[in-house]
Amino acid sequence: MQVDLFDYHLPEELIAQTPLADRTASRLLTLSKTSGETAHHTFEDLEQYLQAGDVLVLNNTRVIPARLFGVKADTGAKAEILLLKQLEGDRWEALVKPGKRLREGAVIHFGGETGADGASQGEPLLKATVEETGAQGARVLRFEYEGIFNELLDRLGHMPLPPYIKEQLPERERYQTVYAKHEGSAAAPTAGLHFTEAFLHRLEQKGIQLAYVTLHVGLGTFRPVSAETVDEHDMHEEYYEVPQETAELVTAAKREGRRVVAVGTTSARTLETAAAEDGSLQACSGSTGIFIYPGYRFKAVDALLTNFHLPKSTLMMLISALAGRENVLAAYREAVERKYRFFSFGDAMFIY
């Protein structure tokens, strides 16, 4: 299966650069996975498509200010890193710029003083040493510091917005879901950005059950598919966790014929990783590199709320597995024609 099959034309001006002031003010395109029928709404109309007994599964990962700007200790050359995943202790997997100059043994200083030549002077607040080259060009860094790492990161770090967003984020919390809880993500699970606490409460009052999983978004979000065929692509692994309460809610829903609705592809991948053949779950945690593309049979997920995804991405492949590639591409053509806002801060799509 060729990766080009999941391509589509997107005018650059449709890439949303800033979030809307009101989270629920986004538009919503609905797509029937059986008939291919589409309809156009505002986000709060999602309530009409959800019914009492549905289990709405949300990813409660919290984005860390994972982008750090520093200088090489020896030359003063600028360096940028994006933390992806904590390995153990003070060792992290990260993307680095410029990669050619940040090889094994390179030392980067953050938050220190620099001299007239740009070289680092005195003790920095944070120091990172490149220990090895990891998967797909990432680096393994070891940090040295005094104090509490997360406090330093909060002080020195910036929110890791995707490269297609050129505008500055007015406030950090706008790149967090309102239910974000467990720190560790290098990107937000963006389908959840549309919810407010008031809207979630309204859904609960209707009889919709809320359940939470955790998947810390990592390298896969920032790496495009470079292979020509789908089966040549190597998925990066990410940490996930399914708590006992969620396992029980999903298992009961599947046994009773009620729908499990995933909020975002990260929630969908977590559920499908943990699900048995009958869709039931047990509490578990670990790493997942699950790759979902057409031909995959979903075990737990019945419906999906998601944003609009990059052409030829693994996320386009996932939603095509759920709704059919032709249905998805036709819906995307409609979204482009009607000037929907795309990607992280863009509008939403509900596949049911």
Side-chain angles (χ1 to χ4, degrees), residues 24 37 60 79 113 118 124 143 153 169 191 231 253 283 317 342:
T24 60
E37 180 183 357
N60 62 8
E113 296 181 1
F143 285 92
L153 195 60
L169 186 65
D231 56 6
M317 297 171 197
F342 277 66

Side-chain angles (χ1 to χ4, degrees), residues 55-130:
V55 177
L56 194 68
V57 182
L58 308 109
N59 180 7
N60 62 8
T61 187
R62 187 170 179 83
V63 186
I64 59 175
R67 194 178 296 279
L68 289 163
F69 298 93
V71 296
K72 284 192 69 181
D74 54 352
T75 65
K78 292 181 179 179
E80 177 185 341
I81 69 169
L82 174 64
L83 301 177
L84 295 173
K85 182 169 64 175
Q86 187 172 15
L87 301 175
E88 71 279 326
D90 293 318
R91 298 177 75 244
W92 285 75
E93 180 183 55
L95 296 177
V96 301
K97 286 184 184 179
K100 291 182 179 179
R101 296 181 182 177
L102 296 173
R103 297 175 178 169
E104 293 178 24
V107 178
I108 313 162
H109 286 179
F110 306 94
E113 296 181 1
T114 55
D117 60 356
S120 182
Q121 293 185 337
E123 282 300 311
L125 296 175
L126 196 61
K127 181 167 75 172
T129 302
V130 179

Side-chain angles (χ1 to χ4, degrees), residues 10 21 25-26 56 82 102 108 114 135 173 176 193 197 223 273:
L10 178 68
S26 298
L56 194 68
L82 174 64
L102 296 173
I108 313 162
T114 55
E173 284 304 305
Q176 305 278 14
L193 294 178
E197 291 177 353
R223 286 289 192 227
T273 294

